[in-house]
Amino acid sequence: MTESGATLPLPRFDVQLAAPDIAPWRAGNAGIPGVMTFRADRPGPHVALFAATHGNELAGVVALDRLLRVGLRPRRGQLSFVFHHLEAFDSFDPNRPTESRYIDEDLNRVWAAEVLDGPRQSRELKRARALRPLVDRVDVLLDLHSMLWPSDPLILSGPTARGRDLALAIGAPPTVVADDGHAAGRRMMDYARFTAPDGDAIAMLVEAGQHWAHSTVDVTLAAISGLLHRLAMVDPHPALPPPPIGPSRFAEVTHTITARCGDFAFLQSFRGGEVVPRRNTLIALDGDQEIRTQYDDCLLVMPSLRPSRGHTAVRLARFIAPEPTTRRPLDRHE
Ligand SMILES: [Zn+2]
């Protein structure tokens, strides 16, 4: 199934990455296929890195495969490497690279308890149900994604202050966006224990760049490195880039624009990460309805240049200086 559901033909995308051979990790070592997990002697958080939640997003798979091959292990706590949608990943075809995002339904739209506990059946729900015991246990989850359309990399932090603080501390990508998810269903990062205001568990999602660009692997590894170093999970390792330094910026999604018409159209080929300087700028038409920015310096989050009806076309976000938290960031996991 393709990602945009577009009726118009998509442009040709350059596929620079090849799907790695993940045969050594396929059976897993924890009783769940595609899950490799390692425990250190010292106590610490359980950090899980998820790749291929969407089957055609290769960069996360390349990154995890590389770290497993060099034998990266946690110095404390537990570190899990998860190849999420094995079946969709297996169907990846570089000649039709957009077609293996999922099989029956989007695996990143099923993470509501009523859906997981409900009667619906799909290949994705079967996989989500198999992984749920792990997702119920992890302290910090980083879901490694990439994007179809040109866009600056970013981290989605979820709605909580603890998610925001950790995402900002990772340092790469340097743009952190808090959002409420999609009308079409709950993402894994929206699963209840990660969004509960009084909980401890944190899930973040990295959008590291274009699906099949070499540079997306580099950004993915930088994000993993930033997280693992920040949580003191690893010693410096040649396979991990030095932990990123430098300021991150934070924006909050104010409007999620869902396409209501099949002919939703942007007025320009906006790039994700673009900042529209003026309030009330017309950016798109959804049938007769005008889509305008609501404030100055509006950040466009992942515009989908060919959205289908009922799917997210773009999110509008406003930069804000995060309020200082009363407790030291991340102390729950230190
Ligand atoms: Zn994705």
Side-chain angles (χ1 to χ4, degrees):
M1 178 56 72
T2 67
E3 135 160 41
S4 66
T7 44
L8 292 166
L10 292 171
R12 243 194 106 70
F13 293 97
D14 187 20
V15 180
Q16 298 171 357
L17 299 177
D21 175 12
I22 60 166
W25 332 120
R26 188 170 289 272
N29 67 356
I32 307 174
V35 178
M36 297 292 296
T37 194
F38 304 97
R39 280 187 184 82
D41 293 334
R42 286 180 54 198
H46 183 179
V47 177
L49 308 171
F50 274 67
T53 294
H54 293 130
N56 64 338
E57 299 181 5
L58 301 184
V61 181
V62 173
L64 293 196
D65 176 66
R66 199 177 289 177
L67 297 178
L68 284 164
R69 283 181 193 276
V70 299
L72 185 77
R73 297 289 182 269
R75 59 190 289 274
R76 66 177 195 134
Q78 185 176 354
L79 180 58
S80 293
F81 301 79
V82 181
F83 298 94
H84 198 178
H85 202 330
L86 288 169
E87 224 176 322
F89 170 75
D90 287 343
S91 73
F92 181 77
D93 176 351
N95 296 311
R96 292 191 296 277
T98 58
E99 288 182 16
S100 49
R101 180 175 169 87
Y102 56 85
I103 295 172
D104 296 327
E105 62 177 323
D106 192 327
L107 178 51
N108 214 26
R109 300 289 183 272
V110 302
W111 288 88
E114 60 269 27
V115 175
L116 294 166
D117 292 331
R120 197 161 92 215
Q121 299 293 333
S122 68
R123 253 119 6 144
E124 284 75 15
L125 272 166
K126 190 173 173 205
R127 183 63 173 152
R129 286 166 183 148
L131 283 163
R132 192 177 180 187
L134 174 77
V135 175
D136 275 331
R137 243 182 10 248
V138 298
D139 297 303
V140 176
L141 190 157
L142 188 63
D143 198 13
L144 304 166
H145 286 250
S146 54
M147 302 176 275
L148 180 65
W149 300 104
S151 188
D152 298 336
L154 55 88
I155 306 177
L156 297 176
S157 66
T160 65
R162 63 185 185 273
R164 176 199 68 201
D165 291 344
L166 182 54
L168 285 167
I170 290 175
T175 301
V176 174
V177 176
D179 78 340
D180 285 341
H182 299 278
R186 279 191 161 228
R187 299 167 300 190
M188 186 167 55
M189 66 174 289
D190 305 321
Y191 187 53
R193 62 188 296 262
F194 301 124
T195 55
D198 53 353
D200 282 343
I202 295 174
M204 297 161 293
L205 189 159
V206 176
E207 296 281 6
Q210 211 282 337
H211 289 329
W212 309 297
H214 287 300
S215 58
T216 306
V217 177
D218 300 335
V219 173
T220 301
L221 285 167
I224 292 172
S225 178
L227 175 68
L228 296 182
H229 280 102
R230 185 67 186 85
L231 294 176
M233 292 292 291
V234 288
D235 293 314
H237 190 287
L240 287 173
I245 43 167
S248 293
R249 56 184 189 165
F250 177 68
E252 213 163 51
V253 169
T254 56
H255 300 76
T256 298
I257 310 294
T258 302
R260 291 196 225 164
C261 299
D263 59 350
F264 186 104
F266 286 97
L267 269 67
Q268 306 171 31
S269 292
F270 285 112
R271 181 188 165 81
E274 210 160 318
V275 176
V276 179
R278 305 296 301 168
R279 179 182 175 275
N280 210 31
T281 302
L282 180 64
I283 57 167
L285 289 170
D286 191 6
D288 292 340
Q289 199 201 345
E290 294 185 343
I291 311 294
R292 291 179 179 271
T293 57
Q294 306 290 310
Y295 37 82
D296 290 349
D297 296 326
C298 177
L299 174 69
L300 303 185
V301 179
M302 295 175 67
S304 171
L305 297 181
R306 303 267 174 77
S308 55
R309 189 183 308 180
H311 286 255
T312 303
V314 65
R315 283 160 275 180
L316 309 181
R318 187 189 340 232
F319 288 105
I320 49 177
E323 286 167 32
T325 41
T326 49
R327 57 201 302 180
R328 204 159 63 84
L330 320 181
D331 57 359
R332 305 169 215 224
H333 295 300
E334 283 171 347

